[in-house]
Amino acid sequence: MINSSEVSEFILLGIPHTENLETELFVLFLFFYIFTLMGNLLILLAIVSSTQLHTPMYFFLCKLSVCDIFFPSVSSPKMLFYLSGHSRAISYAGCASQLFFYHFLGCTECFLCTVMAYDRFVAICHPLRYKVIMSHRVCAILAMGTSFFGCIQATFLTTLTFQLLYCGPNEVDYFFCDIPVMLKLACADTSAVEMVGFISVGLISLSCFLLICTSYSHIVYSILQIRSAEGRRRAFSTCSAHLTVVLLLYMPVVLIYMRPAPSPWLDATVQVLNNLVTPMLNPLIYSLRNKEVKSSLRKVLHQLGFLP
């Protein structure tokens, strides 16, 4: 990603149309960020401390919580820093790092949701072979694979964006460095880069979404074959949390990267929800719908002294 541009730093202008709201936004986003970190750390502690939760489904949930800790940390600390009255400047390398880690963690979560759907497919459609198919070795390979392919996709997108010449202006009309806003600052024709980026993001997202749909079409068919109403309810319950997370993951991708005509204010609003609110909601979604997680969380909170 070597670039001969004259720009050595960029200025993050923040969320469009939020002038003079710095203090209110700082308090709101700080609350979201702290709640996100605490919620996901509690999920990790609950799963690690309970031997009953040492299964493939919760292993992947642990990785999702780790991603949800780091994902908002890509943009939130810098955003909170300048909202508190400090400099809005970010170095060229810092900007490239933001873009890389944002797409690395985002793509990893996308692949991880696909793997989690496959895990539910095996558990419900092939329950007798579940432990054989989803062995420790297979789970480790799948978990490492999500990060590996996420890294490849992020490296490609970051290189694609920062191989362009940036010779000024250097004001990023956004609260962090992302592909659409960075391409506006490039001193070159970006139409080919925009098209390649659109196809790349679209193919990855569409492929994962189709695989998830395929897994769940088999899951729904298998659930409908269950004669017991209680059995059907339990099977649907284990899948509903994951389906909610999938919807929360894919809606921002479609709204931001798949629309032909971008809207800065809408994109920023959706990104704030994607960066801060969704990682905060994921622990609530999984804990509220799962008796085992809730039970383990109570034990953790009791050991920490938060519950009598």
Side-chain angles (χ1 to χ4, degrees):
M1 293 185 292
I2 298 172
N3 198 310
S4 59
S5 79
E6 297 175 4
V7 172
S8 60
E9 67 176 20
F10 296 95
I11 308 297
L12 298 173
L13 298 182
I15 301 172
H17 313 301
T18 58
E19 294 78 7
N20 303 318
L21 294 174
E22 285 82 2
T23 303
E24 292 83 353
L25 290 176
F26 175 82
V27 173
L28 180 64
F29 293 155
L30 181 63
F31 168 77
F32 282 153
Y33 186 49
I34 292 174
F35 199 91
T36 297
L37 297 182
M38 290 179 61
N40 284 288
L41 282 172
L42 283 173
I43 289 290
L44 283 172
L45 285 172
I47 293 174
V48 171
S49 63
S50 175
T51 53
Q52 290 183 330
L53 301 182
H54 292 178
T55 63
M57 182 176 80
Y58 294 109
F59 170 70
F60 295 127
L61 180 55
C62 265
K63 178 155 188 181
L64 181 65
S65 290
V66 171
C67 288
D68 283 339
I69 288 172
F70 286 106
F71 189 64
S73 300
V74 172
S75 59
S76 296
K78 180 62 181 177
M79 180 170 61
L80 292 170
F81 182 75
Y82 68 68
L83 284 175
S84 62
H86 294 85
S87 172
R88 292 175 176 266
I90 183 171
S91 67
Y92 183 92
C95 193
S97 297
Q98 270 196 343
L99 194 147
F100 171 81
F101 283 107
Y102 175 79
H103 286 279
F104 166 60
L105 292 164
C107 289
T108 299
E109 281 204 25
C110 185
F111 293 130
L112 186 59
C113 281
T114 308
V115 169
M116 292 172 79
Y118 174 71
D119 171 70
R120 292 298 82 209
F121 159 73
V122 176
I124 293 172
C125 299
H126 304 284
L128 299 179
R129 299 173 56 204
Y130 179 66
K131 290 186 178 180
V132 176
I133 297 173
M134 299 302 292
S135 64
H136 293 305
R137 181 171 175 271
V138 169
C139 289
I141 291 172
L142 289 172
M144 287 189 293
T146 60
S147 295
F148 176 73
F149 288 109
C151 183
I152 289 177
Q153 173 72 348
T155 301
F156 172 71
L157 292 174
T158 306
T159 305
L160 192 70
T161 304
F162 284 92
Q163 52 86 28
L164 296 168
L165 184 68
Y166 292 91
C167 54
N170 68 337
E171 293 184 339
V172 179
D173 191 19
Y174 217 43
F175 64 96
F176 78 105
C177 299
D178 197 14
I179 296 171
V181 289
M182 294 308 299
L183 293 182
K184 293 178 182 178
L185 303 178
C187 302
D189 180 20
T190 62
S191 55
V193 173
E194 288 176 13
M195 181 59 67
V196 173
F198 177 85
I199 293 172
S200 178
V201 173
L203 279 177
I204 293 292
S205 302
L206 183 61
S207 299
C208 290
F209 186 72
L210 289 175
L211 288 171
I212 291 171
C213 288
T214 301
S215 293
Y216 273 100
S217 64
H218 286 88
I219 288 170
V220 170
Y221 178 78
S222 295
I223 290 175
L224 293 176
Q225 305 304 308
I226 299 174
R227 295 181 181 180
S228 165
E230 177 64 18
R232 286 196 299 270
R233 188 196 65 78
R234 289 184 62 187
F236 272 120
S237 179
T238 59
C239 298
S240 60
H242 180 250
L243 281 173
T244 305
V245 170
V246 168
L247 289 174
L248 290 173
L249 174 68
Y250 276 94
M251 283 192 297
V253 174
V254 173
L255 288 172
I256 295 168
Y257 300 104
M258 300 289 102
R259 287 186 299 112
S263 169
W265 186 85
L266 177 61
D267 289 352
T269 303
V270 173
Q271 281 285 27
V272 168
L273 294 174
N274 187 41
N275 287 15
L276 286 170
V277 180
T278 299
M280 180 184 71
L281 291 177
N282 285 348
L284 292 174
I285 292 167
Y286 277 102
S287 60
L288 291 175
R289 299 285 300 182
N290 193 302
K291 292 180 181 179
E292 294 173 324
V293 174
K294 282 194 285 188
S295 175
S296 184
L297 271 175
R298 287 194 195 97
K299 292 179 183 177
V300 170
L301 291 172
H302 175 72
Q303 291 171 355
L304 293 173
F306 292 109
L307 288 177

PDB file of all heavy atoms in Angstrom, residues 12-42:
ATOM      1  N   LEU A  12     -11.112  14.054  10.065  1.00  0.00           N
ATOM      2  CA  LEU A  12     -12.427  13.425  10.182  1.00  0.00           C
ATOM      3  C   LEU A  12     -13.452  14.489  10.596  1.00  0.00           C
ATOM      4  O   LEU A  12     -13.375  15.039  11.700  1.00  0.00           O
ATOM      5  CB  LEU A  12     -12.391  12.298  11.218  1.00  0.00           C
ATOM      6  CG  LEU A  12     -11.438  11.129  10.914  1.00  0.00           C
ATOM      7  CD1 LEU A  12     -11.374  10.183  12.107  1.00  0.00           C
ATOM      8  CD2 LEU A  12     -11.885  10.379   9.673  1.00  0.00           C
ATOM      9  N   LEU A  13     -14.386  14.781   9.715  1.00  0.00           N
ATOM     10  CA  LEU A  13     -15.382  15.816   9.995  1.00  0.00           C
ATOM     11  C   LEU A  13     -16.510  15.322  10.894  1.00  0.00           C
ATOM     12  O   LEU A  13     -17.268  16.121  11.444  1.00  0.00           O
ATOM     13  CB  LEU A  13     -15.967  16.352   8.682  1.00  0.00           C
ATOM     14  CG  LEU A  13     -14.965  17.023   7.728  1.00  0.00           C
ATOM     15  CD1 LEU A  13     -15.691  17.552   6.501  1.00  0.00           C
ATOM     16  CD2 LEU A  13     -14.197  18.143   8.424  1.00  0.00           C
ATOM     17  N   GLY A  14     -16.643  14.007  11.042  1.00  0.00           N
ATOM     18  CA  GLY A  14     -17.665  13.441  11.920  1.00  0.00           C
ATOM     19  C   GLY A  14     -18.963  13.152  11.200  1.00  0.00           C
ATOM     20  O   GLY A  14     -19.041  13.166   9.969  1.00  0.00           O
ATOM     21  N   ILE A  15     -20.002  12.894  11.959  1.00  0.00           N
ATOM     22  CA  ILE A  15     -21.316  12.569  11.407  1.00  0.00           C
ATOM     23  C   ILE A  15     -21.919  13.828  10.798  1.00  0.00           C
ATOM     24  O   ILE A  15     -21.980  14.867  11.459  1.00  0.00           O
ATOM     25  CB  ILE A  15     -22.251  12.023  12.507  1.00  0.00           C
ATOM     26  CG1 ILE A  15     -21.635  10.767  13.134  1.00  0.00           C
ATOM     27  CG2 ILE A  15     -23.634  11.705  11.946  1.00  0.00           C
ATOM     28  CD1 ILE A  15     -22.365  10.267  14.353  1.00  0.00           C
ATOM     29  N   PRO A  16     -22.352  13.778   9.543  1.00  0.00           N
ATOM     30  CA  PRO A  16     -22.925  14.965   8.899  1.00  0.00           C
ATOM     31  C   PRO A  16     -24.142  15.515   9.655  1.00  0.00           C
ATOM     32  O   PRO A  16     -24.925  14.755  10.217  1.00  0.00           O
ATOM     33  CB  PRO A  16     -23.331  14.450   7.505  1.00  0.00           C
ATOM     34  CG  PRO A  16     -22.476  13.252   7.278  1.00  0.00           C
ATOM     35  CD  PRO A  16     -22.272  12.628   8.629  1.00  0.00           C
ATOM     36  N   HIS A  17     -24.253  16.838   9.656  1.00  0.00           N
ATOM     37  CA  HIS A  17     -25.407  17.548  10.228  1.00  0.00           C
ATOM     38  C   HIS A  17     -25.557  17.339  11.739  1.00  0.00           C
ATOM     39  O   HIS A  17     -26.668  17.282  12.261  1.00  0.00           O
ATOM     40  CB  HIS A  17     -26.714  17.129   9.532  1.00  0.00           C
ATOM     41  CG  HIS A  17     -26.635  17.123   8.043  1.00  0.00           C
ATOM     42  ND1 HIS A  17     -26.323  18.252   7.303  1.00  0.00           N
ATOM     43  CD2 HIS A  17     -26.814  16.127   7.131  1.00  0.00           C
ATOM     44  CE1 HIS A  17     -26.311  17.947   6.015  1.00  0.00           C
ATOM     45  NE2 HIS A  17     -26.603  16.665   5.878  1.00  0.00           N
ATOM     46  N   THR A  18     -24.426  17.183  12.444  1.00  0.00           N
ATOM     47  CA  THR A  18     -24.486  17.051  13.913  1.00  0.00           C
ATOM     48  C   THR A  18     -23.623  18.111  14.595  1.00  0.00           C
ATOM     49  O   THR A  18     -23.079  17.877  15.679  1.00  0.00           O
ATOM     50  CB  THR A  18     -24.021  15.652  14.356  1.00  0.00           C
ATOM     51  OG1 THR A  18     -22.680  15.418  13.876  1.00  0.00           O
ATOM     52  CG2 THR A  18     -24.946  14.573  13.837  1.00  0.00           C
ATOM     53  N   GLU A  19     -23.489  19.278  13.952  1.00  0.00           N
ATOM     54  CA  GLU A  19     -22.693  20.343  14.529  1.00  0.00           C
ATOM     55  C   GLU A  19     -23.308  20.790  15.863  1.00  0.00           C
ATOM     56  O   GLU A  19     -24.522  20.816  16.033  1.00  0.00           O
ATOM     57  CB  GLU A  19     -22.620  21.547  13.573  1.00  0.00           C
ATOM     58  CG  GLU A  19     -21.858  21.281  12.274  1.00  0.00           C
ATOM     59  CD  GLU A  19     -22.676  20.506  11.247  1.00  0.00           C
ATOM     60  OE1 GLU A  19     -23.878  20.290  11.508  1.00  0.00           O
ATOM     61  OE2 GLU A  19     -22.116  20.107  10.209  1.00  0.00           O
ATOM     62  N   ASN A  20     -22.430  21.137  16.814  1.00  0.00           N
ATOM     63  CA  ASN A  20     -22.813  21.623  18.146  1.00  0.00           C
ATOM     64  C   ASN A  20     -23.508  20.560  19.002  1.00  0.00           C
ATOM     65  O   ASN A  20     -24.154  20.892  20.005  1.00  0.00           O
ATOM     66  CB  ASN A  20     -23.730  22.855  18.043  1.00  0.00           C
ATOM     67  CG  ASN A  20     -23.089  23.992  17.255  1.00  0.00           C
ATOM     68  OD1 ASN A  20     -21.901  24.275  17.428  1.00  0.00           O
ATOM     69  ND2 ASN A  20     -23.862  24.621  16.389  1.00  0.00           N
ATOM     70  N   LEU A  21     -23.382  19.304  18.608  1.00  0.00           N
ATOM     71  CA  LEU A  21     -23.958  18.214  19.406  1.00  0.00           C
ATOM     72  C   LEU A  21     -22.867  17.291  19.962  1.00  0.00           C
ATOM     73  O   LEU A  21     -23.137  16.154  20.345  1.00  0.00           O
ATOM     74  CB  LEU A  21     -24.926  17.382  18.554  1.00  0.00           C
ATOM     75  CG  LEU A  21     -26.206  18.074  18.079  1.00  0.00           C
ATOM     76  CD1 LEU A  21     -26.976  17.167  17.130  1.00  0.00           C
ATOM     77  CD2 LEU A  21     -27.092  18.458  19.261  1.00  0.00           C
ATOM     78  N   GLU A  22     -21.635  17.811  20.015  1.00  0.00           N
ATOM     79  CA  GLU A  22     -20.493  16.975  20.396  1.00  0.00           C
ATOM     80  C   GLU A  22     -20.647  16.362  21.789  1.00  0.00           C
ATOM     81  O   GLU A  22     -20.378  15.180  21.996  1.00  0.00           O
ATOM     82  CB  GLU A  22     -19.188  17.781  20.317  1.00  0.00           C
ATOM     83  CG  GLU A  22     -18.683  18.030  18.908  1.00  0.00           C
ATOM     84  CD  GLU A  22     -19.390  19.211  18.241  1.00  0.00           C
ATOM     85  OE1 GLU A  22     -20.232  19.841  18.914  1.00  0.00           O
ATOM     86  OE2 GLU A  22     -19.098  19.480  17.062  1.00  0.00           O
ATOM     87  N   THR A  23     -21.075  17.174  22.766  1.00  0.00           N
ATOM     88  CA  THR A  23     -21.180  16.684  24.146  1.00  0.00           C
ATOM     89  C   THR A  23     -22.223  15.589  24.261  1.00  0.00           C
ATOM     90  O   THR A  23     -21.983  14.532  24.875  1.00  0.00           O
ATOM     91  CB  THR A  23     -21.544  17.841  25.104  1.00  0.00           C
ATOM     92  OG1 THR A  23     -20.558  18.871  24.992  1.00  0.00           O
ATOM     93  CG2 THR A  23     -21.602  17.350  26.545  1.00  0.00           C
ATOM     94  N   GLU A  24     -23.404  15.810  23.659  1.00  0.00           N
ATOM     95  CA  GLU A  24     -24.476  14.811  23.709  1.00  0.00           C
ATOM     96  C   GLU A  24     -24.062  13.516  23.022  1.00  0.00           C
ATOM     97  O   GLU A  24     -24.309  12.415  23.538  1.00  0.00           O
ATOM     98  CB  GLU A  24     -25.754  15.362  23.057  1.00  0.00           C
ATOM     99  CG  GLU A  24     -26.415  16.503  23.814  1.00  0.00           C
ATOM    100  CD  GLU A  24     -25.791  17.864  23.502  1.00  0.00           C
ATOM    101  OE1 GLU A  24     -24.754  17.901  22.791  1.00  0.00           O
ATOM    102  OE2 GLU A  24     -26.332  18.877  23.963  1.00  0.00           O
ATOM    103  N   LEU A  25     -23.412  13.645  21.859  1.00  0.00           N
ATOM    104  CA  LEU A  25     -22.966  12.453  21.131  1.00  0.00           C
ATOM    105  C   LEU A  25     -21.870  11.722  21.898  1.00  0.00           C
ATOM    106  O   LEU A  25     -21.837  10.487  21.908  1.00  0.00           O
ATOM    107  CB  LEU A  25     -22.456  12.856  19.739  1.00  0.00           C
ATOM    108  CG  LEU A  25     -23.523  13.336  18.746  1.00  0.00           C
ATOM    109  CD1 LEU A  25     -22.859  13.800  17.456  1.00  0.00           C
ATOM    110  CD2 LEU A  25     -24.531  12.241  18.444  1.00  0.00           C
ATOM    111  N   PHE A  26     -20.985  12.472  22.543  1.00  0.00           N
ATOM    112  CA  PHE A  26     -19.909  11.845  23.322  1.00  0.00           C
ATOM    113  C   PHE A  26     -20.491  10.987  24.434  1.00  0.00           C
ATOM    114  O   PHE A  26     -20.094   9.821  24.612  1.00  0.00           O
ATOM    115  CB  PHE A  26     -18.997  12.925  23.915  1.00  0.00           C
ATOM    116  CG  PHE A  26     -17.938  12.371  24.828  1.00  0.00           C
ATOM    117  CD1 PHE A  26     -16.764  11.834  24.305  1.00  0.00           C
ATOM    118  CD2 PHE A  26     -18.110  12.371  26.212  1.00  0.00           C
ATOM    119  CE1 PHE A  26     -15.791  11.309  25.132  1.00  0.00           C
ATOM    120  CE2 PHE A  26     -17.142  11.841  27.047  1.00  0.00           C
ATOM    121  CZ  PHE A  26     -15.981  11.315  26.514  1.00  0.00           C
ATOM    122  N   VAL A  27     -21.448  11.517  25.184  1.00  0.00           N
ATOM    123  CA  VAL A  27     -22.067  10.770  26.287  1.00  0.00           C
ATOM    124  C   VAL A  27     -22.809   9.538  25.759  1.00  0.00           C
ATOM    125  O   VAL A  27     -22.686   8.435  26.310  1.00  0.00           O
ATOM    126  CB  VAL A  27     -23.032  11.681  27.078  1.00  0.00           C
ATOM    127  CG1 VAL A  27     -23.802  10.869  28.123  1.00  0.00           C
ATOM    128  CG2 VAL A  27     -22.273  12.821  27.751  1.00  0.00           C
ATOM    129  N   LEU A  28     -23.574   9.728  24.674  1.00  0.00           N
ATOM    130  CA  LEU A  28     -24.354   8.621  24.101  1.00  0.00           C
ATOM    131  C   LEU A  28     -23.448   7.509  23.586  1.00  0.00           C
ATOM    132  O   LEU A  28     -23.652   6.322  23.912  1.00  0.00           O
ATOM    133  CB  LEU A  28     -25.232   9.154  22.961  1.00  0.00           C
ATOM    134  CG  LEU A  28     -26.131   8.133  22.247  1.00  0.00           C
ATOM    135  CD1 LEU A  28     -27.167   7.559  23.205  1.00  0.00           C
ATOM    136  CD2 LEU A  28     -26.796   8.766  21.033  1.00  0.00           C
ATOM    137  N   PHE A  29     -22.436   7.881  22.800  1.00  0.00           N
ATOM    138  CA  PHE A  29     -21.565   6.869  22.202  1.00  0.00           C
ATOM    139  C   PHE A  29     -20.661   6.201  23.245  1.00  0.00           C
ATOM    140  O   PHE A  29     -20.338   5.020  23.120  1.00  0.00           O
ATOM    141  CB  PHE A  29     -20.712   7.483  21.091  1.00  0.00           C
ATOM    142  CG  PHE A  29     -21.515   7.932  19.897  1.00  0.00           C
ATOM    143  CD1 PHE A  29     -21.051   8.926  19.055  1.00  0.00           C
ATOM    144  CD2 PHE A  29     -22.743   7.364  19.625  1.00  0.00           C
ATOM    145  CE1 PHE A  29     -21.798   9.344  17.963  1.00  0.00           C
ATOM    146  CE2 PHE A  29     -23.502   7.768  18.540  1.00  0.00           C
ATOM    147  CZ  PHE A  29     -23.025   8.762  17.709  1.00  0.00           C
ATOM    148  N   LEU A  30     -20.271   6.955  24.272  1.00  0.00           N
ATOM    149  CA  LEU A  30     -19.473   6.357  25.347  1.00  0.00           C
ATOM    150  C   LEU A  30     -20.289   5.302  26.082  1.00  0.00           C
ATOM    151  O   LEU A  30     -19.772   4.226  26.413  1.00  0.00           O
ATOM    152  CB  LEU A  30     -19.006   7.443  26.323  1.00  0.00           C
ATOM    153  CG  LEU A  30     -18.148   6.964  27.495  1.00  0.00           C
ATOM    154  CD1 LEU A  30     -16.844   6.355  26.989  1.00  0.00           C
ATOM    155  CD2 LEU A  30     -17.860   8.123  28.465  1.00  0.00           C
ATOM    156  N   PHE A  31     -21.567   5.592  26.313  1.00  0.00           N
ATOM    157  CA  PHE A  31     -22.456   4.616  26.950  1.00  0.00           C
ATOM    158  C   PHE A  31     -22.572   3.353  26.093  1.00  0.00           C
ATOM    159  O   PHE A  31     -22.439   2.232  26.597  1.00  0.00           O
ATOM    160  CB  PHE A  31     -23.846   5.227  27.163  1.00  0.00           C
ATOM    161  CG  PHE A  31     -24.900   4.218  27.543  1.00  0.00           C
ATOM    162  CD1 PHE A  31     -24.973   3.720  28.839  1.00  0.00           C
ATOM    163  CD2 PHE A  31     -25.809   3.755  26.592  1.00  0.00           C
ATOM    164  CE1 PHE A  31     -25.942   2.773  29.182  1.00  0.00           C
ATOM    165  CE2 PHE A  31     -26.772   2.817  26.934  1.00  0.00           C
ATOM    166  CZ  PHE A  31     -26.831   2.332  28.228  1.00  0.00           C
ATOM    167  N   PHE A  32     -22.833   3.532  24.799  1.00  0.00           N
ATOM    168  CA  PHE A  32     -22.940   2.388  23.892  1.00  0.00           C
ATOM    169  C   PHE A  32     -21.648   1.563  23.902  1.00  0.00           C
ATOM    170  O   PHE A  32     -21.695   0.330  23.957  1.00  0.00           O
ATOM    171  CB  PHE A  32     -23.215   2.856  22.465  1.00  0.00           C
ATOM    172  CG  PHE A  32     -24.644   3.259  22.206  1.00  0.00           C
ATOM    173  CD1 PHE A  32     -24.958   4.184  21.227  1.00  0.00           C
ATOM    174  CD2 PHE A  32     -25.679   2.715  22.946  1.00  0.00           C
ATOM    175  CE1 PHE A  32     -26.270   4.564  20.984  1.00  0.00           C
ATOM    176  CE2 PHE A  32     -26.995   3.075  22.717  1.00  0.00           C
ATOM    177  CZ  PHE A  32     -27.299   4.011  21.729  1.00  0.00           C
ATOM    178  N   TYR A  33     -20.511   2.247  23.842  1.00  0.00           N
ATOM    179  CA  TYR A  33     -19.220   1.557  23.736  1.00  0.00           C
ATOM    180  C   TYR A  33     -18.926   0.752  25.005  1.00  0.00           C
ATOM    181  O   TYR A  33     -18.533  -0.427  24.929  1.00  0.00           O
ATOM    182  CB  TYR A  33     -18.120   2.586  23.481  1.00  0.00           C
ATOM    183  CG  TYR A  33     -16.763   1.993  23.200  1.00  0.00           C
ATOM    184  CD1 TYR A  33     -16.601   0.981  22.269  1.00  0.00           C
ATOM    185  CD2 TYR A  33     -15.630   2.443  23.882  1.00  0.00           C
ATOM    186  CE1 TYR A  33     -15.355   0.431  22.007  1.00  0.00           C
ATOM    187  CE2 TYR A  33     -14.382   1.906  23.625  1.00  0.00           C
ATOM    188  CZ  TYR A  33     -14.246   0.899  22.696  1.00  0.00           C
ATOM    189  OH  TYR A  33     -13.004   0.364  22.447  1.00  0.00           O
ATOM    190  N   ILE A  34     -19.133   1.369  26.175  1.00  0.00           N
ATOM    191  CA  ILE A  34     -18.875   0.672  27.442  1.00  0.00           C
ATOM    192  C   ILE A  34     -19.830  -0.500  27.603  1.00  0.00           C
ATOM    193  O   ILE A  34     -19.433  -1.602  28.009  1.00  0.00           O
ATOM    194  CB  ILE A  34     -19.002   1.653  28.632  1.00  0.00           C
ATOM    195  CG1 ILE A  34     -17.866   2.672  28.596  1.00  0.00           C
ATOM    196  CG2 ILE A  34     -18.989   0.897  29.965  1.00  0.00           C
ATOM    197  CD1 ILE A  34     -17.978   3.771  29.632  1.00  0.00           C
ATOM    198  N   PHE A  35     -21.109  -0.291  27.279  1.00  0.00           N
ATOM    199  CA  PHE A  35     -22.103  -1.353  27.386  1.00  0.00           C
ATOM    200  C   PHE A  35     -21.754  -2.513  26.448  1.00  0.00           C
ATOM    201  O   PHE A  35     -21.918  -3.689  26.804  1.00  0.00           O
ATOM    202  CB  PHE A  35     -23.496  -0.806  27.045  1.00  0.00           C
ATOM    203  CG  PHE A  35     -24.622  -1.653  27.542  1.00  0.00           C
ATOM    204  CD1 PHE A  35     -25.176  -1.433  28.801  1.00  0.00           C
ATOM    205  CD2 PHE A  35     -25.138  -2.677  26.767  1.00  0.00           C
ATOM    206  CE1 PHE A  35     -26.217  -2.228  29.271  1.00  0.00           C
ATOM    207  CE2 PHE A  35     -26.181  -3.465  27.220  1.00  0.00           C
ATOM    208  CZ  PHE A  35     -26.724  -3.241  28.487  1.00  0.00           C
ATOM    209  N   THR A  36     -21.263  -2.199  25.249  1.00  0.00           N
ATOM    210  CA  THR A  36     -20.860  -3.232  24.285  1.00  0.00           C
ATOM    211  C   THR A  36     -19.712  -4.063  24.825  1.00  0.00           C
ATOM    212  O   THR A  36     -19.742  -5.310  24.771  1.00  0.00           O
ATOM    213  CB  THR A  36     -20.444  -2.581  22.951  1.00  0.00           C
ATOM    214  OG1 THR A  36     -21.561  -1.901  22.388  1.00  0.00           O
ATOM    215  CG2 THR A  36     -19.954  -3.630  21.958  1.00  0.00           C
ATOM    216  N   LEU A  37     -18.681  -3.392  25.338  1.00  0.00           N
ATOM    217  CA  LEU A  37     -17.518  -4.097  25.883  1.00  0.00           C
ATOM    218  C   LEU A  37     -17.921  -4.974  27.070  1.00  0.00           C
ATOM    219  O   LEU A  37     -17.532  -6.151  27.145  1.00  0.00           O
ATOM    220  CB  LEU A  37     -16.447  -3.101  26.316  1.00  0.00           C
ATOM    221  CG  LEU A  37     -15.819  -2.229  25.218  1.00  0.00           C
ATOM    222  CD1 LEU A  37     -14.744  -1.325  25.803  1.00  0.00           C
ATOM    223  CD2 LEU A  37     -15.235  -3.087  24.098  1.00  0.00           C
ATOM    224  N   MET A  38     -18.707  -4.427  27.996  1.00  0.00           N
ATOM    225  CA  MET A  38     -19.113  -5.184  29.182  1.00  0.00           C
ATOM    226  C   MET A  38     -19.995  -6.376  28.812  1.00  0.00           C
ATOM    227  O   MET A  38     -19.808  -7.488  29.331  1.00  0.00           O
ATOM    228  CB  MET A  38     -19.854  -4.262  30.155  1.00  0.00           C
ATOM    229  CG  MET A  38     -18.970  -3.229  30.837  1.00  0.00           C
ATOM    230  SD  MET A  38     -19.908  -2.166  31.954  1.00  0.00           S
ATOM    231  CE  MET A  38     -20.550  -3.367  33.124  1.00  0.00           C
ATOM    232  N   GLY A  39     -20.965  -6.151  27.903  1.00  0.00           N
ATOM    233  CA  GLY A  39     -21.873  -7.224  27.510  1.00  0.00           C
ATOM    234  C   GLY A  39     -21.149  -8.396  26.872  1.00  0.00           C
ATOM    235  O   GLY A  39     -21.388  -9.562  27.225  1.00  0.00           O
ATOM    236  N   ASN A  40     -20.240  -8.099  25.963  1.00  0.00           N
ATOM    237  CA  ASN A  40     -19.518  -9.168  25.277  1.00  0.00           C
ATOM    238  C   ASN A  40     -18.489  -9.840  26.173  1.00  0.00           C
ATOM    239  O   ASN A  40     -18.256 -11.052  26.053  1.00  0.00           O
ATOM    240  CB  ASN A  40     -18.860  -8.618  24.006  1.00  0.00           C
ATOM    241  CG  ASN A  40     -19.852  -8.400  22.881  1.00  0.00           C
ATOM    242  OD1 ASN A  40     -20.352  -9.346  22.281  1.00  0.00           O
ATOM    243  ND2 ASN A  40     -20.177  -7.150  22.603  1.00  0.00           N
ATOM    244  N   LEU A  41     -17.884  -9.086  27.076  1.00  0.00           N
ATOM    245  CA  LEU A  41     -16.961  -9.702  28.043  1.00  0.00           C
ATOM    246  C   LEU A  41     -17.707 -10.646  28.978  1.00  0.00           C
ATOM    247  O   LEU A  41     -17.197 -11.724  29.319  1.00  0.00           O
ATOM    248  CB  LEU A  41     -16.240  -8.619  28.846  1.00  0.00           C
ATOM    249  CG  LEU A  41     -15.085  -7.909  28.142  1.00  0.00           C
ATOM    250  CD1 LEU A  41     -14.589  -6.731  28.969  1.00  0.00           C
ATOM    251  CD2 LEU A  41     -13.935  -8.878  27.846  1.00  0.00           C
ATOM    252  N   LEU A  42     -18.918 -10.264  29.387  1.00  0.00           N
ATOM    253  CA  LEU A  42     -19.727 -11.138  30.244  1.00  0.00           C
ATOM    254  C   LEU A  42     -20.114 -12.423  29.518  1.00  0.00           C
ATOM    255  O   LEU A  42     -20.121 -13.507  30.115  1.00  0.00           O
ATOM    256  CB  LEU A  42     -20.977 -10.397  30.717  1.00  0.00           C
ATOM    257  CG  LEU A  42     -20.778  -9.385  31.851  1.00  0.00           C
ATOM    258  CD1 LEU A  42     -22.060  -8.611  32.107  1.00  0.00           C
ATOM    259  CD2 LEU A  42     -20.314 -10.087  33.128  1.00  0.00           C
TER     260      LEU A  42
END
